[in-house]
């Protein structure tokens, strides 16, 4: 993918403030998430990284400042407008998969398509099977969430999230509850999606996950304090790892 072109902002936040009671969690953050980037937000526990993701996606309303997606406002938008925005342009993956327990993995993916993709049912079912294959879920697709591994459930959650071809995929600690093998599978999936042009915003505290991104943003006490640009994953592996390690060490990680 050619990243030398002028970047287009998918989500733009200006002077974002978020308070809970008397506690200010986000302190006038200004940030753009660019089309085609794999952006990673890092920071210590309580730094505000997940809250920032929630405010950018409209899952939480900012206390102050503005967030827009293209020309559509996120801050101050009605719940009806936000629901449509999420259905049309956003995909979400969390640490917990939130799969419907009495539906198979395939049915969970299909349900997402029927709600938000705008496709006819036959096309939704076809795309759901294609995504299940892409996520290496052929054998698990017709099982219930309780009958599959954590990695399989999370891969199904990713398939569900990208069913509608979202403009941006939000991921909040998606590998936090997975073992090493399943973590690698899910991260490989994110890398594959990014390689095909998917814009991703990932919140993580894990260096291995962060290495999948090409842009790393570090938050401390509700403010952006540093940013790092990396080459594409798969290129200059050792140099990328050293660059990230040195940067994090300099930040006191």
């Amino acid at each position: 993918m050619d990243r030398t072109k002028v970047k287009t902002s998918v989500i733009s936040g200006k002077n974002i403030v978020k308070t809970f009671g008397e506690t200010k969690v986000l302190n006038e953050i200004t940030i753009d998430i660019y089309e085609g980037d794999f952006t990673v937000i890092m920071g210590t526990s309580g730094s505000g990284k997940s809250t920032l993701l929630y405010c950018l996606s409209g899952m939480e309303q900012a206390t102050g400042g503005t967030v827009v997606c293209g020309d559509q406002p996120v801050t101050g938008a009605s719940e009806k407008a936000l629901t449509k925005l999420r259905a049309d342009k956003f995909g979400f993956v969390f640490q917990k998969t939130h799969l419907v327990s009495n539906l198979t993995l395939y049915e969970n993916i299909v349900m997402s398509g029927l709600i938000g993709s705008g496709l006819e049912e036959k096309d939704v079912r076809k795309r759901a099977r294609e995504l299940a294959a892409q996520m290496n879920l052929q054998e698990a697709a017709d099982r219930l969430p309780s009958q599959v591994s954590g990695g399989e459930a999370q891969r199904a959650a990713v398939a569900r999230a990208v069913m509608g071809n979202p403009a941006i995929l939000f991921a909040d600690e998606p590998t936090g509850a997975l073992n090493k093998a399943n973590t690698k599978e899910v991260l490989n999936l994110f890398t594959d999606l990014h390689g095909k042009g998917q814009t991703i915003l990932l919140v993580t505290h894990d260096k291995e996950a962060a290495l999948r991104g090409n842009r790393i943003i570090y938050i401390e006490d509700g403010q952006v304090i540093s940013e790092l640009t990396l080459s594409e994953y798969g290129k200059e592996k050792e140099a990328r790892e050293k660059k990230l390690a040195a940067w994090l060490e300099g930040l006191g990680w």
Side-chain angles (χ1 to χ4, degrees), residues 77-134:
S78 67
E79 190 54 41
K80 181 178 180 180
L82 286 173
T83 298
K84 187 176 188 313
L85 185 62
R86 295 186 196 112
D88 292 346
K89 295 189 175 182
F90 297 165
F92 296 91
V93 184
F94 304 98
Q95 183 170 326
K96 293 185 178 180
T97 62
H98 300 293
L99 296 173
V100 180
S101 61
N102 62 343
L103 297 181
T104 65
L105 301 190
Y106 169 70
E107 289 168 341
N108 269 277
I109 301 168
V110 167
M111 182 179 65
S112 173
L114 293 175
I115 293 172
S117 71
L119 299 172
E120 294 185 5
E121 182 174 348
K122 64 180 179 62
D123 295 321
V124 167
R125 293 188 176 279
K126 179 183 178 183
R127 175 161 168 75
R129 284 295 180 191
E130 290 172 348
L131 282 171
Q134 181 183 346

Side-chain angles (χ1 to χ4, degrees), residues 131-190:
L131 282 171
Q134 181 183 346
M135 311 296 173
N136 195 24
L137 290 171
Q138 297 94 320
E139 294 184 6
D142 295 318
R143 299 174 187 166
L144 297 173
S146 61
Q147 299 172 324
V148 302
S149 71
E152 289 168 330
Q154 191 60 286
R155 297 202 304 275
V158 175
R160 179 184 60 184
V162 300
M163 182 71 194
N165 293 309
I168 181 168
L169 178 61
F170 295 94
D172 186 18
E173 300 280 9
T175 61
L178 302 180
N179 62 29
K180 187 173 182 179
N182 285 327
T183 290
K184 186 175 181 179
E185 285 189 357
V186 172
L187 291 178
N188 285 344
L189 178 54
F190 276 98

